[in-house]
Amino acid sequence: MRNTAKVTTAVLAAGALTLGLSACGSGKDSGSTDTSGPLIVAASPTPHAEILDFVQKNLAKKAGLDLQVKEFTDYITPNTATEDGSVGANYFQNQPYLDDFNKKRGTHIVPVVTVHLEPLGLYSHKVKKADDLKSGATVAVPNDAVNEARALKLLASNKLITLKDGVGSEATPADITKNPKNLKFKEVEAAQTPRSLDDVDAAVVNGNYAISSGLKPAKDAIVLESAKNSPYGNFLAVKKGNEDDPRVKKLAKLLTSPEVKKFIQDKYQGSVIPSF
């Protein structure tokens, strides 16, 4: 039986306050972590939980690891749950996002090992090529700071817009210096970008949300982020101080094994790319 707890957005909304209060009540040195029980890992459903499920079913038992997977559909609760100890680790994010999250929320999450890259893509139900976007077209972009900047950089790298020099991971539409197609931007929650495709001319969608919505980034994206020298690899992460937890070390080794690499390559066909 699949040993996975699924957490819906509705449940998360109800539980976010509880998690936040728990986090406020526990400092980063609130006590040692019990390493005798199962390792509970918070993950986005696709592809992170799917990869963890593969490890759980095929590799964990032989390695002596009791692994449990807890699915979350947002980008906030996995970190707050890791911070307050509700889970032992998480697997869903990249370094720019984590840096921004720790800075804004005062959390102490650190990466352990990078596993894969999900290329960000531009999708459209109305045009086949980015060049076919009409003047004044509306493009949906994620509304969190890091993913919005990443989306704008994707558009800039394909010459749809030009950004100010040096804006990096903090770019917003206000940093656009040239916009030859007079594109308009609609900021929506990252998870909602695939659903916006019927209402806008195009949308920039994170790889995990594209896959879970039935899109195939390697085939369906009209513009796709390059994996070369990308800072956006997704990694296993823990609260600072737990990097040496033997369960975490076992999982890190399994997540970067040849078996997991083959699973990612076979299942996702270029829509998810191993980073090891």
Side-chain angles (χ1 to χ4, degrees):
M1 180 180 293
R2 180 179 176 183
N3 191 15
T4 302
K6 291 189 177 181
V7 182
T8 65
T9 302
V11 173
L12 291 171
L17 178 59
T18 301
L19 286 169
L21 291 173
S22 298
C24 290
S26 59
K28 73 174 185 176
D29 296 318
S30 58
S32 60
T33 300
D34 179 11
T35 63
S36 62
L39 178 63
I40 303 173
V41 182
S44 297
T46 306
H48 309 79
E50 294 173 347
I51 295 170
L52 289 168
D53 282 347
F54 172 81
V55 171
Q56 181 191 62
K57 294 174 183 176
N58 298 279
L59 305 174
K61 184 176 181 180
K62 185 177 180 180
L65 175 64
D66 184 357
L67 175 64
Q68 295 182 11
V69 185
K70 195 169 186 179
E71 295 184 11
F72 291 86
T73 58
D74 75 323
Y75 282 170
I76 296 173
T77 319
N79 275 337
T80 57
T82 303
E83 178 75 10
D84 71 20
S86 300
V87 299
N90 67 57
Y91 174 34
F92 78 100
Q93 65 193 320
N94 57 53
Q95 192 68 59
Y97 180 83
L98 177 59
D99 290 344
D100 182 72
F101 192 97
N102 279 335
K103 180 179 178 180
K104 290 180 177 176
R105 293 177 179 265
T107 46
H108 311 89
I109 312 301
V110 295
V112 176
V113 65
T114 301
V115 181
H116 76 267
L117 173 73
E118 301 161 25
L120 199 72
L122 178 67
Y123 300 84
S124 177
H125 287 171
K126 299 178 181 178
V127 299
K128 299 291 186 182
K129 298 185 298 182
D131 288 344
D132 293 338
L133 287 169
K134 296 180 180 179
S135 178
T138 299
V139 179
V141 295
N143 65 0
D144 64 276
V146 170
N147 282 306
E148 181 173 55
R150 188 178 173 188
L152 294 174
K153 288 166 69 177
L154 173 67
L155 299 179
S157 67
N158 287 273
K159 304 187 186 308
L160 290 169
I161 60 173
T162 301
L163 293 170
K164 292 178 184 176
D165 291 337
V167 289
S169 296
E170 298 180 355
T172 72
D175 295 308
I176 296 173
T177 57
K178 293 182 181 178
N179 187 358
K181 287 183 176 288
N182 192 30
L183 299 177
K184 296 177 174 59
F185 296 96
K186 182 177 182 180
E187 298 169 314
V188 300
E189 185 181 350
Q192 303 302 316
T193 50
R195 299 179 187 178
S196 73
L197 280 167
D198 289 330
D199 302 317
V200 296
D201 297 289
V204 180
V205 183
N206 290 73
N208 61 316
Y209 291 132
I211 295 167
S212 62
S213 299
L215 295 168
K216 296 180 179 179
K219 294 182 179 179
D220 297 333
I222 59 175
V223 166
L224 192 64
E225 192 175 46
S226 171
K228 186 176 181 180
N229 299 321
S230 174
Y232 299 110
N234 283 210
F235 46 66
L236 179 69
V238 297
K239 186 176 181 179
K240 187 175 182 180
N242 294 336
E243 302 95 319
D244 291 330
D245 182 329
R247 301 168 303 170
V248 171
K249 286 188 170 183
K250 285 180 182 179
L251 180 56
K253 185 175 181 179
L254 295 177
L255 281 172
T256 53
S257 65
E259 293 90 344
V260 167
K261 177 177 281 190
K262 185 177 187 302
F263 171 77
I264 293 173
Q265 292 171 333
D266 291 347
K267 182 172 180 64
Y268 301 109
Q269 300 290 309
S271 296
V272 177
I273 303 168
S275 297
F276 56 93

